[in-house]
Amino acid sequence: MRHVPLCLSLLCCSAISTYLLSNADAATPSEVHFSIPAQPLSSAITLFARQSGLHVAVAGTIAGKVRTAPVTGVMSPDSALKKILSGTGVVATEHAGGLIVLTSQPVSVPHQTTQAIQEENLIVTGRASSKHQKKIDASYAITTISQKELRMRSISSVSEALKNTPGFWVEASGGEVGANIRARGIPVDGYGSVQLEEDGLPLQSDPALGYLNADDSFRIDETLRNIQVVRGGPSSIVAQNAPGGLVNFISKRGTEKLSGVGKQTFGDDGLYRTDAWLGGPAGPWRWSLGGFYRVENGVRDPGFRANSGGQIRANVSRSFSHGGSFFVDYKHLDDRTAFFTDIPVTYDKSGNITSLSGFNANTGTYSSKALANAYLPGPGGSTKHIDLQSGIHMRIDQVTAGFKHDLADGWHLTDTLRYRSMNAAWTVLSPSTVTDANTRLNGLATASTLFAGATGWQLRYADNPNQQFSSSTTGNNYVTDASLRAVWVNEHEVMNDFKLEKSLSFLGHHDIAMGAFTSYFNEDFNRYSANMLLDTTSHARALNIDAVDAAGTVLGSMTQNGYTRYGSEFANGWGHDIDVAGYATDEWAITRKLRLDAGVRYEVQRATGTVEGTHSVALGSAPYLSNVLSGNGAFRHYDKVYDNFGGTIGINYQLHPNLGFFARFTRAYRLPSLASFITNPVAVPANQTMNMYEGGVKYNSRYFDAYVTGFDTDYHGFQVNNYVFNVANGGYTQQTINADTRAYGVEFEGTIRPIRYFDVVFTGTAQDARFKGLRYQTLSQNAPVLNDYSNNHLLRVPPVMFRVTPRLHLFNDKLLLQADVEHYGLRYADAANSQKLPSYTVVNFGAAYQVGNYLTINLSGQNLNNSLGLTEGNPRSGEVLSSQSNNSVFLARPILGRSFRLSLTGQF
């Protein structure tokens, strides 16, 4: 990656230099500045009306079927409108009162441009058919996110991009990657219920690959064109492992004329980032090249670079005169990102969440340079090297190729193939419990029983044995038990999606598609961790527990260099996973207004592999060496096969081109995969199934757009894997509890445009998500006790969440000012609903100013009010019944504190 900054800088300079050569002629009074990208006619005319001040009407029958040409520059409204309508077959006629009416007119178009062909053939996410379809005509809920929106908020992470999606509860507090997403109340962590795709194929076939989420494998940069997000609906029929939703990142392709983007971004957290993209023609071929490189200390500065690295990707494509096309895409990612876990918080006198003295909850992190580089002992004289600075280090090479071809009798064939090689290291410091120092020492055995002559215990710093732990130095009297954990994963994956399509007439019009999806991946998995004792401060220091005599002389220690136990976790496994699925869909236009669509999917998955058993090894008599987990040389094989069937049926009635209604039922499923067994060959994972009901109304007009969807999700086969850290032995106890869940509610998104200069964008969700049949028994004083948490709220799912964004468009749309107000309701960290995660509100800000025709300046501010919103409690204290629910000081993960970013974007 060392040449990436140079390549990106050159591309950036190339883009910005075009601005310096731009025409500086003064505009005449009748001319205005237009900036209207290529897009459907309906939205292009909305922008034209806003920027010109003219009133335009367009027939609804053509509004979504026509795609306009891009217009940028200073010109008269008449010239701009002609450019927009160029080659579309749409003409403008002026009527009384200055109203401009657009109507269709047949035109002869002997040969379409490559760009036009690419735009027409874009697959709408959530559909097997590649026919173009407007959002308002879709019979399911879909959210679109443009590159302009991403730039406005300076978004570089998948989780931040998806926070604007109704129905999705997104926990983006862990940093740039490794987020959790709950779709419509489905209580699965990570991306276990939401699939991430790039250009129609999964980033990784299992988006919740143990310790590695799909978002670890993807970075947002200027090679991205837009994002389409399907919530529920047919996503589980057309994609693998997507019962709750499907996110498709659509990349840029080469253009007919040389064009490019260069962006430089600076952040107050030490961010320096360069993005660039360049595309153009090479004879009949189109090519593009782009990527990014950045370094960043992070809002939670760990004392070293939290994020560093980048990616580069190249693409070549061609469209043929007979209607077919071909493309090849290569991407290389080499990037390190910090992963932030829980930190200590407490309550103020009013009962509000606040920082613990000595630990700033907005910017603090336990990580420090002193803890970053560890060499830990293992069996047989081996040494484990764990580098906390590595964070989540992803090295990925990915090649994607695809083609489309027209067959005889109106059949169309599409095939897309992807190969991916991944080498990943996942390194993190995870706090387990925070305890008063005196309580922690009182829980130990009497010092004299372990060390002769000892009269008590003392806490001393590992990096300075003469310095005793003191609350006067740290600001609090709390110590933290934590685990330094490392996971190493090597994975190779190949996947292919083969599809046939045909249109036919029978009792209306049918667009049918049938396909086969296959994937294969193999994985090597290794894990090691060690337990530590830290003071409870940002940039924590390691503590030793020393046995001392009456004179204060150290006679022995429970720890070494702050480590209370080496080898507290061990895993060594490998295996491969094969998935084969067949699917078919039919979109049946019964009349011009009434459409019914249906789809089915049958899938078989086989996971095969081997896991090494563990045993405890004593490397010495010291407590920290007496119980080291290691491989025992005995390997257990597993061979598991699962299958399931899914189906969906939806109906859409388009009462008016701008008003439609839909309803849908989907039976979705989520099969177990290799991730279920890679550390436990005898696991019995649930074959998860869901019955999903939804219906909605869609409306758009010049002044108001609204998409409102009601949903009901019945989820079967939920397993709560309850992990609880045991301070006494430094290990984790696990309990698996089965239950069902139900979530129902309403999602909404839209825009209000009362006047040309002002609009309000809004999104939100109101839902009721609860457990069904969550009952289990425990022993209390040798008597069974039934714990019944049925009808309790699901873990961490807010009943209400919304974002409202008022925006000002000034100086002919050259200046855009906006503010986000986000609100998230009360949640619970455990199934018992004993630990509350209070509601919180966040305020963000964004501004974009266009200088001339080619340069844009963006300024954004996140969490301006320094909200201490908690996205999760401490999973290591138990997610069924939290052991820290009544503590005044507890571990939780707040959102990141206030930050600002400034970017300069040049494009031509």
Side-chain angles (χ1 to χ4, degrees):
M1 297 299 295
R2 60 181 180 180
H3 299 299
V4 173
L6 176 61
C7 295
L8 296 183
S9 296
L10 290 174
L11 290 175
C12 184
C13 291
S14 173
I16 295 177
S17 64
T18 308
Y19 161 70
L20 300 176
L21 298 176
S22 62
N23 191 340
D25 293 342
T28 65
S30 60
E31 295 178 331
V32 295
H33 181 270
F34 289 92
S35 178
I36 304 175
Q39 58 192 289
L41 178 62
S42 57
S43 55
I45 290 306
T46 299
L47 284 177
F48 173 79
R50 177 186 293 156
Q51 296 175 17
S52 67
L54 301 177
H55 297 285
V56 184
V58 57
T61 55
I62 64 173
K65 299 179 180 179
V66 173
R67 195 162 186 93
T68 64
V71 174
T72 303
V74 178
M75 63 192 77
S76 67
D78 183 61
S79 298
L81 189 56
K82 287 180 179 178
K83 288 188 175 184
I84 290 173
L85 302 178
S86 175
T88 63
V90 177
V91 295
T93 305
E94 186 169 349
H95 286 240
L99 176 66
I100 299 174
V101 177
L102 305 184
T103 56
S104 61
Q105 175 178 304
V107 296
S108 175
V109 185
H111 177 70
Q112 291 178 300
T113 65
T114 301
Q115 182 67 23
I117 292 174
Q118 290 176 343
E119 294 289 346
E120 288 178 1
N121 290 338
L122 284 176
I123 298 174
V124 176
T125 305
R127 302 171 64 222
S129 172
S130 60
K131 295 294 183 69
H132 181 72
Q133 185 183 72
K134 293 188 299 181
K135 177 179 177 179
I136 196 170
D137 291 333
S139 57
Y140 51 90
I142 183 168
T143 296
T144 57
I145 305 169
S146 68
Q147 180 65 261
K148 183 178 180 180
E149 293 177 72
L150 299 174
R151 290 175 187 160
M152 188 67 184
R153 294 186 170 93
S154 293
I155 289 174
S156 58
S157 72
V158 172
S159 56
E160 286 292 340
L162 298 182
K163 282 177 64 176
N164 200 35
T165 305
F168 280 13
W169 161 244
V170 181
E171 297 176 353
S173 53
E176 193 162 314
V177 300
N180 290 317
I181 287 187
R182 304 286 174 90
R184 290 183 170 175
I186 298 176
V188 181
D189 283 337
Y191 286 79
S193 65
V194 177
Q195 179 64 277
L196 300 188
E197 290 189 336
E198 184 177 28
D199 296 324
L201 272 185
L203 293 170
Q204 57 189 46
S205 56
D206 188 342
L209 189 65
Y211 287 93
L212 291 172
N213 285 342
D215 67 334
D216 295 339
S217 302
F218 190 80
R219 303 292 184 272
I220 290 176
D221 62 13
E222 287 296 330
T223 65
L224 181 67
R225 185 158 61 89
N226 60 38
I227 306 172
Q228 297 181 353
V229 186
V230 175
R231 293 114 58 191
S235 59
S236 59
I237 305 303
V238 299
Q240 182 188 29
N241 294 323
L246 178 61
V247 182
N248 192 14
F249 300 94
I250 301 174
S251 60
K252 293 178 181 176
R253 299 282 175 85
T255 52
E256 285 192 339
K257 296 182 179 180
L258 183 67
S259 57
V261 177
K263 183 172 72 173
Q264 191 68 45
T265 305
F266 309 92
D268 66 334
D269 62 343
L271 170 66
Y272 297 91
R273 174 173 170 140
T274 299
D275 289 74
W277 176 84
L278 197 62
W285 293 85
R286 301 293 178 262
W287 61 270
S288 69
L289 175 68
F292 78 95
Y293 186 84
R294 62 95 168 75
V295 294
E296 183 177 15
N297 295 333
V299 176
R300 298 191 186 279
D301 186 350
F304 46 82
R305 283 180 175 172
N307 305 323
S308 64
Q311 77 177 4
I312 190 165
R313 67 183 302 176
N315 178 285
V316 292
S317 60
R318 180 175 178 176
S319 295
F320 301 98
S321 58
H322 58 71
S325 62
F326 172 80
F327 79 92
V328 176
D329 183 277
Y330 169 73
K331 179 170 68 175
H332 175 70
L333 172 69
D334 189 343
D335 195 35
R336 294 176 172 88
T337 52
F339 184 68
F340 302 112
T341 53
D342 301 336
I343 63 172
V345 292
T346 186
Y347 301 98
D348 62 18
K349 293 181 179 179
S350 301
N352 300 315
I353 301 297
T354 189
S355 297
L356 177 67
S357 177
F359 205 120
N360 189 315
N362 290 116
T363 60
T365 175
Y366 278 103
S367 298
S368 67
K369 196 166 184 63
L371 303 175
N373 207 16
Y375 293 87
L376 307 178
S382 62
T383 300
K384 295 288 186 180
H385 178 211
I386 301 181
D387 184 5
L388 195 56
Q389 297 176 90
S390 181
I392 300 178
H393 185 187
M394 303 294 297
R395 285 169 289 186
I396 296 175
D397 287 289
Q398 175 183 291
V399 180
T400 308
F403 72 90
K404 298 179 181 179
H405 184 68
D406 293 340
L407 304 174
D409 299 325
W411 286 93
H412 306 279
L413 181 152
T414 303
D415 192 82
T416 310
L417 173 72
R418 172 168 293 159
Y419 169 76
R420 187 180 79 141
S421 173
M422 178 188 71
N423 182 279
W426 192 91
T427 312
V428 66
L429 182 64
S430 299
S432 301
T433 62
V434 58
T435 315
D436 177 82
N438 297 328
T439 303
R440 180 67 171 87
L441 295 181
N442 291 337
L444 299 173
T446 305
S448 60
T449 62
L450 297 176
F451 302 98
T455 59
W457 301 105
Q458 282 186 357
L459 294 173
R460 298 172 180 248
Y461 283 97
D463 59 1
N464 185 2
N466 294 321
Q467 183 184 3
Q468 291 188 38
F469 169 84
S470 171
S471 60
S472 61
T473 302
T474 61
N476 62 72
N477 198 49
Y478 286 87
V479 295
T480 300
D481 283 272
S483 294
L484 183 62
R485 178 179 290 112
V487 174
W488 299 274
V489 178
N490 290 315
E491 189 228 22
H492 298 272
E493 183 166 10
V494 62
M495 62 184 74
N496 189 84
D497 190 28
F498 173 87
K499 182 169 57 181
L500 289 171
E501 297 179 65
K502 183 178 175 62
S503 297
L504 54 90
S505 295
F506 176 73
L507 299 178
H509 179 83
H510 296 262
D511 289 317
I512 62 173
M514 59 191 72
F517 175 86
T518 57
S519 70
Y520 168 87
F521 73 88
N522 61 65
E523 177 187 346
D524 295 329
F525 183 94
N526 290 274
R527 181 176 64 198
Y528 178 89
S529 67
N531 296 344
M532 309 181 68
L533 187 67
L534 309 172
D535 65 5
T536 307
T537 62
S538 186
H539 298 169
R541 296 167 64 192
L543 292 169
N544 279 327
I545 304 175
D546 293 332
V548 297
D549 61 16
T553 303
V554 176
L555 302 179
S557 184
M558 291 285 290
T559 59
Q560 183 182 59
N561 298 322
Y563 290 93
T564 58
R565 181 187 177 188
Y566 294 118
S568 53
E569 287 181 300
F570 172 88
N572 178 31
W574 57 87
H576 62 264
D577 188 286
I578 300 174
D579 186 282
V580 179
Y583 59 90
T585 65
D586 180 13
E587 296 181 0
W588 177 17
I590 303 172
T591 69
R592 293 182 61 184
K593 293 185 176 182
L594 181 63
R595 189 181 73 254
L596 184 146
D597 64 84
V600 293
R601 183 184 185 95
Y602 177 71
E603 188 169 359
V604 180
Q605 191 150 9
R606 181 179 184 180
T608 306
T610 303
V611 177
E612 184 178 7
T614 63
H615 67 154
S616 180
V617 178
L619 300 183
S621 59
Y624 45 84
L625 294 173
S626 62
N627 186 21
V628 178
L629 288 180
S630 178
N632 62 7
F635 297 88
R636 186 157 186 171
H637 183 71
Y638 58 89
D639 190 342
K640 307 288 185 178
V641 178
Y642 296 91
D643 70 319
N644 216 318
F645 167 85
T648 186
I649 184 168
I651 188 168
N652 187 85
Y653 183 71
Q654 210 63 29
L655 180 65
H656 184 273
N658 294 338
L659 175 64
F661 305 88
F662 76 91
R664 176 175 295 275
F665 167 76
T666 302
R667 183 193 187 276
Y669 61 89
R670 195 1 170 134
L671 295 179
S673 73
L674 188 68
S676 305
F677 308 100
I678 197 69
T679 61
N680 183 9
V682 296
V684 186
N687 198 337
Q688 307 164 50
T689 60
M690 283 142 274
N691 291 329
M692 308 175 73
Y693 309 84
E694 60 185 301
V697 58
K698 307 158 295 178
Y699 175 77
N700 63 31
S701 69
R702 166 68 179 84
Y703 297 102
F704 181 67
D705 298 341
Y707 298 83
V708 181
T709 304
F711 66 90
D712 187 335
T713 303
D714 293 328
Y715 179 91
H716 309 284
F718 174 57
Q719 291 183 326
V720 183
N721 291 312
N722 193 42
Y723 292 90
V724 181
F725 179 75
N726 188 322
V727 176
N729 61 24
Y732 291 88
T733 58
Q734 178 184 354
Q735 184 180 32
T736 300
I737 301 167
N738 297 304
D740 295 335
T741 71
R742 184 189 180 195
Y744 62 92
V746 61
E747 307 161 347
F748 52 89
E749 63 177 338
T751 305
I752 302 172
R753 294 179 289 267
I755 58 176
R756 173 187 171 188
Y757 307 102
F758 176 73
D759 59 27
V760 178
V761 179
F762 57 90
T763 64
T765 307
Q767 61 188 328
D768 187 15
R770 297 178 183 268
F771 288 104
K772 298 297 179 183
L774 180 55
R775 301 180 181 90
Y776 68 101
Q777 285 188 338
T778 56
L779 288 177
S780 177
Q781 297 179 350
N782 294 322
V785 175
L786 176 65
N787 300 278
D788 189 350
Y789 300 134
S790 301
N791 211 41
N792 280 18
H793 294 279
L794 297 186
L795 276 67
R796 309 200 301 270
V797 177
V800 176
M801 51 184 173
F802 62 82
R803 171 188 278 179
V804 178
T805 307
R807 306 188 301 183
L808 282 172
H809 307 263
L810 305 174
F811 307 118
N812 288 323
D813 282 340
K814 289 185 177 181
L815 176 62
L816 172 62
L817 300 174
Q818 72 177 37
D820 295 326
V821 179
E822 302 175 18
H823 179 78
Y824 304 94
L826 170 69
R827 289 143 293 115
Y828 297 91
D830 58 351
N833 291 177
S834 63
Q835 183 178 9
K836 294 182 179 180
L837 301 175
S839 62
Y840 65 95
T841 302
V842 180
V843 178
N844 308 313
F845 169 80
Y849 182 69
Q850 186 168 339
V851 183
N853 296 333
Y854 304 101
L855 180 65
T856 303
I857 302 173
N858 284 85
L859 175 65
S860 65
Q862 306 299 317
N863 195 8
L864 299 184
N865 55 328
N866 253 341
S867 172
L868 268 183
L870 305 181
T871 62
E872 66 174 40
N874 176 21
R876 287 154 294 278
S877 68
E879 290 194 315
V880 174
L881 177 60
S882 176
S883 62
Q884 63 174 21
S885 57
N886 296 319
N887 297 348
S888 59
V889 176
F890 60 96
L891 293 169
R893 192 165 69 177
I895 61 176
L896 301 180
R898 183 189 300 117
S899 65
F900 295 94
R901 290 187 176 182
L902 172 69
S903 64
L904 307 175
T905 305
Q907 54 185 329
F908 62 96

